[in-house]
Amino acid sequence: MGSWCCPREAGELGGLGARPPNSLWGAYIKRGGCGSAPQPLHTFLGGRHRILYRGRGDAPPATPPGRATLLPLTKPGLRPPSPLSSPEPPPATSRQAPGAKAVARGTAVPVGLNSVRIHCQNEAVYQYHVTFSPEVECRSTRFAMLKEQRSVTGDVTAFDGSILYLPVLLPQPVSLKAQRRADGEEVSITIQLTKVLEPSSDLCIPFYNVVFRRVMRILDMKLVGRNFYDPSQASMLQHYRLQVWPGYSVSIRRRDGGLFLQVDTVHKVIRSDSVLASMHAIYKQSAAGFQDECTKQLVGSMVITRYNNRTYRIDDIDWDRTPRDSFTLASGEEITFVDYYSKTYGITVRELDQPLLIHRPKEKRMPGRKPHVEMILLVPELTFLTGIAEIKKDTRMLKVSLGEGESHPALTRGGGRSAVTPILTAPCPQDVMREMLQSPQQHYESLCSLLRRIQDSHEASHELMRWGLVLGQDIHRTQGRILPTERINLRHSSFFPAEDLSWSKEVSREASISTVAMNYWLLVYPRRLQDLMKELVAAMRSVCGPIGMHVNAPALVELKDDRIETYVRTIRGLLGSEDKVQLLLCITTKSKEDLYSAIKKLCCVQAPVPSQINCKLGGELWGIDVPLKQLMVIGMDVSHGRGTRSVIGFVASINQVLTKWYSRVVFQMPQQEIADSLRLCLADALQRFHEMNHCLPKKIVVYRDGVSDGQLDTVVKYEIPQLQKCFDTFENYQPSVVVVVVQKQISTNFYTDTAERLACPPAGTVIDHTITSTDWQDFYLLAHRARQGCSVPTRYVCVLNTANLSAEHLQRLTFKLCHLYWNWPGTIRVPAPCKYAHKLAFLAGQVLHHEPAPQLCDRLFFL
């Protein structure tokens, strides 16, 4: 049994206290001294909705009007040498000196960004080292002693206990005297200048962010998690018992173009009913299995405690404890939960026999220190569910919002991952969607509103000026480029997609590049869905004919009921006696996660057979032109499950035109992000490539998804060497390698001007300057067309480039790969191998909990 604590005490003990952005001192910027530390931050009958990739030797047809000319890639993979420099050996990594990024070609387009330029009026920021003699061990005592020296240091300071930052230069040396209150001993304080920093230095960014968080508090914004919300402007949806809090995600960052404030709008959805009210509703429906049902429906949900605006994940329910029970304060005093909330917040807990909710904070490993808090107990009466689970469950709504089967960031930023089932939520209301999905114009107006509030508040503006920071009057505008349209190739024809980059009509009317005849397949259905079964078989025949796919009549298996045991027993018996089954198709009465999981485990692990259609059988749907020859493209992603092993999905192309894929999964220790055993995965993929092409690839391009900026160096030092060691398995084999990190969870938005209003830029818009990193070769690509909401691009960071691919070639290749996801007849946010790897990792980690059968490794069975 771990130690217990109430929410506020957890903060006092260090379990959930204020978290400074980069280092301890970030939370200790003073306004005249040591105050309270601010807190920081479809599947559509198989083949029609899939993407294929085919290189053609013939010349491309004329480019459609209004689009850029298709640029041929002469000498594939080589960077044109600069006239001012001689050729150099391939770089080890793609770190780049500031200002050294080449400008690529393309159709120019004006782009607005959700970033505001920050002008630094101070000449410098001065860093000092502070020593105490005799040594003062207690950090809070050091803070208090330095606070007493405001007459020397001034009111504006940033201090972490040893390093002091000031906007002014102190005469050197500085020797001061202070008295320790505990014993009255005199302590000498020496302040020694160590560095003079530029105001936009990376060392200044963390406390600039703390300063801006204070500005948000001055505006009466409430910190929840890492974002600020304005409850006074909440939209009340009484019919659904919901509140929608508007808010902002803000951060100051240094980019190629200087110092910027990045602002994004966020929303927090909060139920008006407490968790206790939800538990009462569950009891009315299922009194016999009340506890089990509560655990099933509540565990995994995100909740907020309104008395301190903190969010927690429900990890368990303690049925043996009630608010009458006691816990120990940091001072050692024993107090009941009832008395604690009454004395601290003036809240009366009315239901004294309710159980308590358990939250287990993530363990943070601090050198030489042990975590003080293992569990936090919450009172259901005082907690409220956040987020809308039904939005995440109804993927069709999300496809509309993005134009593809991916979640829109505006629906998840700041909303948590609430796993509430229908008993706890009403069906997803369009009203909530309208509140959360803002058009580019609405998004821009929200940003302008925040800027006006800051400018109109003398206190907020003064807080920034104390450090010499002045915000721009409007968002930053720059120039982007539109990449050329890619040609889509089918078996007998090619075409350029429409402006919205969707080709569902074309691929459903013409033959796919290759198809697999369905000669023997099973259709399992419950008896009461007999009419639906007949409609499905008829639809299969009418749809598969035009795309060139032969479909025989299925072997029909009728079930007497729709219980999970009936499905599993019947399917196991069929697959055990039939060895010619190409495909298994099951019709269910409703969506059941446990039934889906049972069928998937049976068909992907125990008796491998594809459980869906066409490309899962090995068919090829459509393709695009691939100029690079002997190219292998790899996608990697990691799926995390709380309390379960992490799993990496590895997907690699194994033919010249990127229409055949090899896949594997590797299970790892919980929460481990950087992948292990990559050498084995790549070696098997190279062997499969050689078997199909009778040669090995000369160029390997790896797209690594799910890596943050803080892990880039680890990818370079750990993952890439694992991949490179694999080449020693083959004699005299040293291919050129490009490794690109893919980052989707970003808050950058693109706007463009149309008829005096801001709108989403065209798909294919790329920016590789101004907002890019000063340390890495990176670019932002908007590959898809947003049908609702704002355009959120994807960031690509090149961490290795021994192929010497130019920035333009890498951007073009990345955009091409965004056309090749076979579950959607259009472009998606990320390259297809990344999406495949994500689907594979999620299936193996969240559903199968086991490696798929090896017989399925050359099919896209996971779609």
Side-chain angles (χ1 to χ4, degrees), residues 140-171:
S140 61
T141 302
R142 296 200 294 267
F143 296 146
M145 288 182 174
L146 191 67
K147 177 182 178 180
E148 296 172 355
Q149 312 302 324
R150 283 178 294 180
S151 59
V152 177
T153 62
D155 292 338
V156 186
T157 64
F159 183 51
D160 72 344
S162 61
I163 304 299
L164 173 68
Y165 293 88
L166 297 175
V168 295
L169 177 63
L170 300 179

Side-chain angles (χ1 to χ4, degrees), residues 279-301:
M279 297 175 78
H280 285 314
I282 295 173
Y283 183 79
K284 289 180 181 179
Q285 294 192 18
S286 179
F290 169 63
Q291 291 190 8
D292 291 339
E293 197 63 31
C294 274
T295 301
K296 179 180 178 182
Q297 297 196 27
L298 289 173
V299 170
S301 299

